[in-house]
Amino acid sequence: MPFLCDGAVITLQSAVGGSVLAIAIALPVGLMATSRHRGVRAAARVYMEFFRGTSVLVQLFWLFYAMPLLTGFQLDKLFAGILALGLNLGAYGSEVVRGAVRAVPRGQLEAAVALNLSPFQRMRYVVLPQAFVEMVPPMNNLLIELLKATSLLSAITVADLAYEGRLLVNSGSDQLIVFALLLAIYFLLSYLITLLMRFVEGRAARVVGRERPRRRAATAVEAAR
């Protein structure tokens, strides 16, 4: 367990760092994808399609192995892993942001225009608060995918959970026990992400005067009775 706990700390650091970077990229790029300017939309689309259309493992190898050959600068392996995860999942998150913004009812925008709000004010006070509620469930899935993708960092010898587990197996530890512990730890970390995102979703829904889907369904059942 001490070895696996050390690996879990590295996995958690990678997941948190990659998540912060992915969200920081997803929001502006997703908004760029909704721009009325063709050049801005094209730049966002190039980034999104490139990083979604190539393997995160290949991107990781490029950042850690190929970039030093081209630039002469070697990235720290943990930083390279966080960068690869953030760039890859940020592309998927950008599509989530774009879809959530597009899903805001047209009438809300027309009402904001009628109130003489500027484009920035419409985005800040009308569009984003409502779009954020729609972003949370798919973002939850993406963050869990990012957590699981941290296991790829062992390919560049980052001592994460998967790497420590493989070392234990190679040193003669019982494979069944090691892999069962790995499954349990990954599951617990994933469930913590789900609990956190459910809390965020509930708070965001209350801010805009909505109820979460499960609560709306329960209310409808009670009304039918």
Side-chain angles (χ1 to χ4, degrees):
M1 283 305 297
F3 290 98
L4 293 181
C5 288
D6 290 341
V9 170
I10 300 299
T11 292
L12 195 57
Q13 290 176 348
S14 305
V16 171
S19 299
V20 170
L21 179 59
I23 293 171
I25 292 173
L27 184 58
V29 175
L31 294 178
M32 288 170 60
T34 65
S35 173
R36 289 180 291 182
H37 300 286
R38 184 175 299 178
V40 175
R41 290 200 311 272
R45 183 55 60 184
V46 167
Y47 162 76
M48 292 162 66
E49 296 302 332
F50 176 79
F51 282 97
R52 288 194 306 168
T54 55
S55 167
V56 63
L57 184 60
V58 175
Q59 295 163 16
L60 181 61
F61 285 161
W62 261 93
L63 287 172
F64 189 69
Y65 293 118
M67 287 296 290
L69 299 177
L70 298 175
T71 64
F73 182 74
Q74 178 69 61
L75 294 175
D76 176 76
K77 55 188 177 182
L78 181 58
F79 177 77
I82 291 174
L83 186 59
L85 293 173
L87 289 171
N88 187 267
L89 272 297
Y92 288 93
S94 302
E95 189 63 28
V96 170
V97 172
R98 186 197 67 81
V101 170
R102 292 294 189 191
V104 175
R106 180 90 182 157
Q108 297 287 331
L109 293 174
E110 293 173 352
V113 172
L115 291 172
N116 200 30
L117 297 181
S118 67
F120 175 78
Q121 289 174 323
R122 293 198 296 268
M123 185 63 68
R124 168 67 178 82
Y125 296 110
V126 179
V127 176
L128 284 181
Q130 298 183 70
F132 184 76
V133 180
E134 305 298 331
M135 294 178 200
V136 176
M139 280 294 185
N140 180 28
N141 294 334
L142 289 181
L143 294 182
I144 291 175
E145 288 297 324
L146 189 148
L147 171 66
K148 293 187 290 186
T150 58
S151 61
L152 298 175
L153 303 190
S154 61
I156 58 171
T157 68
V158 174
D160 69 327
L161 189 56
Y163 184 85
E164 294 289 355
R166 191 163 65 245
L167 285 182
L168 287 173
V169 171
N170 292 339
S171 66
S173 297
D174 187 281
Q175 295 187 34
L176 181 60
I177 294 177
V178 171
F179 290 135
L181 289 172
L182 289 178
L183 284 174
I185 294 173
Y186 275 115
F187 171 76
L188 289 175
L189 293 177
S190 298
Y191 192 62
L192 287 176
I193 292 174
T194 299
L195 292 177
L196 175 62
M197 296 302 284
R198 284 179 181 173
F199 172 77
V200 172
E201 182 184 4
R203 290 294 298 271
R206 285 194 294 271
V207 167
V208 298
R210 296 186 189 178
E211 292 180 300
R212 288 194 299 186
R214 186 168 55 185
R215 184 173 299 175
R216 290 201 300 267
T219 303
V221 170
E222 290 297 327
R225 289 177 180 174

